[in-house]
Amino acid sequence: MSPEQYLDVALDIAQSAGRMILEARESNALEKSLKNGQELVTTTDVAVDTMISQRLEEAFPGEKRLSEELSPDRDALEQEGALWVVDPIDGTVNFAHGLRHVAVSIAYARDGVIQLGVVHAPFLEETFTAIRGKGAYLNGNALAASSARELDASLIATGFPYRRDSRIPLMRRLTAVLSHCRDVRRNGSAALDLCDVACGRMDAYYESVSPWDFAAGRLIAHEAGARTGHLYRCPEGIPEELYGENLLVSSPHIYDDLRELLRRADAGELNDDR
Ligand code: IPD
Ligand code: CA
Ligand code: CA
C-alpha cells in the first residue's frame, strides 16, 4: 500500500471517531472518572480508542499500536517496524466541559520515524493531514507555518500536566514567555496546538507530553515548515521523533531565541522585571 492509501484509511477511521465524539456530546451521557488519581477520562475516550484499535487491526493486521487508553505501553517506542500512535480524544478536559477544542490524533511511524499523521477536530470541522515529505494540509488546502521573526510579536501555545505539583516548575517558563512574547494560549489540546503552529495561527508551541499527544501534530507542523525539536538533548533509545519531553516547535526564525529563553528560565537566570 502507498502512503496515500495508508493515510486514506487513517483519515476514514479518524472521521468515524469524530462522529462518535459528536454523538456522545449530543446524547449528553458523559461518564467521567479519574485515572492515576487526577487525570480525567470519559467512557467516550475508551469507546473511541476501542473502535480505532479494531479498525486499525482489520486494516493492518498485526501492526503494533500505542494508544492512550488501550495500549499505553511505551516499550513499543523502542521496537523496530510499524507503529500506530493514537490519541482517541486529545482535549479530554475540553470535551468533558463542553468546549470545542477536541481532536482525534492518529500517526503512523516506521522504525521510529513518523510517516503520516491525521488530526481531526470534529467540533471545529477541521482535519489536518500530512505525509512525510509531501506537505501538510487543512481540509485539503496546503499549510504554511508561521514565519514570525521576533519573539516580541509571537503568540505561544503551551499546556500543563495533570499533576499539579509538576506545574510549579513550569511557572518560570510561563513568566519568561509572558514577559518576552506577545501572549500565551492554553487551548487544551497539544495535537491542535501543533496544528495551529502548522497553520501560522500560533508562532510556537512548547510542552512535555506523551507520544500520542504530539506524534501526528509534530509531523503536520514539520511538513508545514515549522522547526521541530527539543529544549534539551534527547536520551538514547527512544526515537527523537517520538520523544515528548521538552518539545519545542516554532517558526524557524524564532526557534533559537525561544529555546534560549526557555532554557534560561529553567536555569533561573532571568530576572523578569523588564
Ligand atoms: C492533554 C492535552 C493538553 C496537554 C496535556 C495532555 P488529553 O491530552 O493534549 O493540551 O496540555 O498534557 O495530557 O489528556 O486531553 O488527551
Ligand atoms: Ca492527549
Ligand atoms: Ca486523550
Side-chain angles (χ1 to χ4, degrees):
M1 266 170 92
S2 67
E4 284 75 11
Q5 287 168 316
Y6 263 70
L7 180 67
D8 281 349
V9 176
L11 184 57
D12 192 50
I13 296 174
Q15 284 166 339
S16 300
R19 285 191 290 277
M20 283 177 78
I21 292 168
L22 292 173
E23 282 161 19
R25 176 159 294 168
E26 271 165 31
S27 73
N28 235 341
L30 269 196
E31 278 178 46
K32 304 172 199 168
S33 56
L34 290 179
K35 63 178 181 187
N36 308 323
Q38 41 201 343
E39 217 172 307
L40 193 62
V41 63
T42 73
T43 44
T44 310
D45 293 69
V46 179
V48 173
D49 206 344
T50 305
M51 183 280 289
I52 293 174
S53 171
Q54 284 166 352
R55 292 272 306 268
L56 286 175
E57 183 58 32
E58 278 161 29
F60 309 105
E63 290 194 346
K64 285 194 205 68
R65 291 182 295 273
L66 176 71
S67 76
E68 182 172 16
E69 311 303 340
L70 290 192
S71 38
D73 181 1
R74 292 171 195 230
D75 289 349
L77 295 173
E78 293 176 41
Q79 292 164 22
E80 291 181 349
L83 181 67
W84 290 93
V85 186
V86 174
D87 194 340
I89 300 185
D90 188 51
T92 290
V93 174
N94 286 343
F95 179 59
H97 283 257
L99 292 164
R100 296 158 52 85
H101 233 72
V102 170
V104 180
S105 175
I106 302 179
Y108 180 68
R110 264 202 170 270
D111 299 329
V113 180
I114 307 166
Q115 303 296 327
L116 59 91
V118 180
V119 173
H120 173 57
F123 301 110
L124 307 176
E125 298 183 357
E126 293 193 329
T127 308
F128 299 86
T129 55
I131 294 174
R132 185 169 207 88
K134 298 192 176 172
Y137 295 84
L138 163 54
N139 295 346
N141 299 313
L143 294 178
S146 158
S147 54
R149 291 187 169 270
E150 305 292 332
L151 275 190
D152 199 47
S154 294
L155 189 59
I156 315 294
T158 191
F160 301 94
Y162 284 97
R163 282 183 62 119
R164 290 178 193 165
D165 53 354
S166 306
R167 294 173 179 174
I168 310 296
L170 296 173
M171 295 307 168
R172 279 190 189 154
R173 289 187 187 175
L174 191 59
T175 305
V177 170
L178 287 170
S179 305
H180 294 261
C181 304
R182 173 162 286 151
D183 207 340
V184 166
R185 293 290 179 271
R186 196 291 189 246
N187 286 330
S189 160
L192 288 176
D193 289 343
L194 286 158
C195 291
D196 282 338
V197 175
C199 293
R201 294 168 179 163
M202 304 293 305
D203 301 303
Y205 163 77
Y206 72 90
E207 195 176 0
S208 292
V209 287
S210 296
W212 43 79
D213 298 312
F214 76 88
R218 181 193 196 276
L219 179 70
I220 292 164
H222 172 79
E223 286 297 322
R227 182 166 165 193
T228 54
H230 299 85
L231 295 179
Y232 303 102
R233 190 187 291 275
C234 300
E236 304 276 305
I238 299 179
E240 199 173 325
E241 289 200 12
L242 294 170
Y243 184 68
E245 292 301 310
N246 301 304
L247 285 175
L248 176 59
V249 174
S250 76
S251 153
H253 313 292
I254 61 167
Y255 185 95
D256 288 336
D257 287 351
L258 186 53
R259 186 169 186 256
E260 172 76 6
L261 180 74
L262 293 167
R263 285 169 59 126
R264 290 184 65 204
D266 285 352
E269 286 173 14
L270 297 171
N271 85 45
D272 292 305
D273 54 357
R274 71 206 294 277

